[in-house]
Amino acid sequence: MERKAVYAGSFDPVTNGHLNIIERAAKMYDELTVAIVVNPRKSGFFTVEERAEIMREVTSHIPNVKVDKFSGLLADYVNEKGFVAYVRGLRATTDFENELQMAQMNARLFTRDTETVFLMTDPQYSFISSSLIKEVASLGGSVDGLVPEYVASRIAEKVK
Ligand code: COA
């Protein structure tokens, strides 16, 4: 049986921290779906379509990665698709409390034996968040090395 996992988030935009988690998780499972959450209450910097297109571009070197979108409850999406694992990245101890809460709630909602699996973020990316990248880049600061070059160029294009 194929072991399929999911890594979910807003990815507005995807950073090198996310990409590092994606590359490592893709080695652990037969297939990794990167699922972009569609939140109708949150208007993003990039549209969900743009985020999916950007994600496809920056993960094109990883053959077992698929890009998808979902709305509503993550657990419903996971149950429907039959993922064996839900991958999360932990950047710092401050992430832990919130992640524990979500993992425990999801454990109640998962109808199969889906495990939430935590990967420690590479320390060189532990301070990054998508909001910080957008803020620095849109004010003209350098985000070199923190996002793929393609992402930096898409942000620059959008800000113009
Ligand atoms: N490297 C760099 N940045 C990272 C990172 C990493 N490894 N991991 C997380 N981040 C950043 C994200 O970019 C994001 O930054 P931002 O807040 O500036 O946009 C921030 O850390 C938070 O990331 P995350 O916790 O993954 O939030 P998210 O909004 O990307 O995704 C969902 C959250 C989609 C997983 C969650 O809201 C969800 O499950 N929603 C569906 C509704 C639901 O089921 N709710 C009940 C849950 S129990």
Side-chain angles (χ1 to χ4, degrees):
M1 201 186 81
E2 277 216 313
R3 291 169 48 78
K4 298 183 183 187
V6 63
Y7 178 50
S10 307
F11 304 116
D12 189 27
V14 55
T15 68
N16 282 347
H18 295 129
L19 209 49
N20 174 261
I21 299 285
I22 294 170
E23 285 168 350
R24 288 158 57 199
K27 288 186 195 150
M28 297 165 59
Y29 300 97
D30 297 315
E31 187 177 279
L32 179 74
T33 297
V34 179
I36 302 170
V37 66
V38 180
N39 184 347
R41 288 183 309 263
K42 226 172 153 183
S43 70
F45 180 77
F46 288 109
T47 66
V48 172
E49 294 309 326
E50 286 170 329
R51 283 180 240 167
E53 182 201 325
I54 293 169
M55 186 63 83
R56 275 190 206 98
E57 177 68 31
V58 302
T59 57
S60 60
H61 62 293
I62 321 169
N64 63 335
V65 167
K66 267 177 63 173
V67 178
D68 195 10
K69 296 168 271 186
F70 77 99
S71 55
L73 213 51
L74 171 101
D76 286 343
Y77 173 71
V78 168
N79 294 338
E80 184 200 318
K81 300 281 181 184
F83 296 114
V84 298
Y86 172 40
V87 175
R88 300 286 298 158
L90 275 184
R91 288 166 301 170
T93 47
T94 43
D95 281 346
F96 179 78
E97 216 164 306
N98 190 32
E99 291 297 335
L100 179 68
Q101 211 179 6
M102 284 202 291
Q104 291 175 338
M105 176 59 86
N106 279 327
R108 289 176 59 93
L109 301 171
F110 291 152
T111 52
R112 305 168 195 246
D113 287 337
T114 307
E115 282 292 345
T116 301
V117 173
F118 293 99
L119 296 184
M120 299 301 157
T121 298
D122 188 313
Q124 61 178 317
Y125 305 128
S126 63
F127 62 95
I128 316 178
S129 71
S130 298
S131 308
L132 201 54
I133 293 291
K134 281 178 285 194
E135 184 176 330
V136 171
S138 59
L139 294 172
S142 167
V143 289
D144 285 356
L146 303 180
V147 292
E149 272 176 35
Y150 180 71
V151 173
S153 71
R154 291 292 298 259
I155 298 174
E157 201 177 282
K158 192 105 180 168
V159 168
K160 243 194 265 168

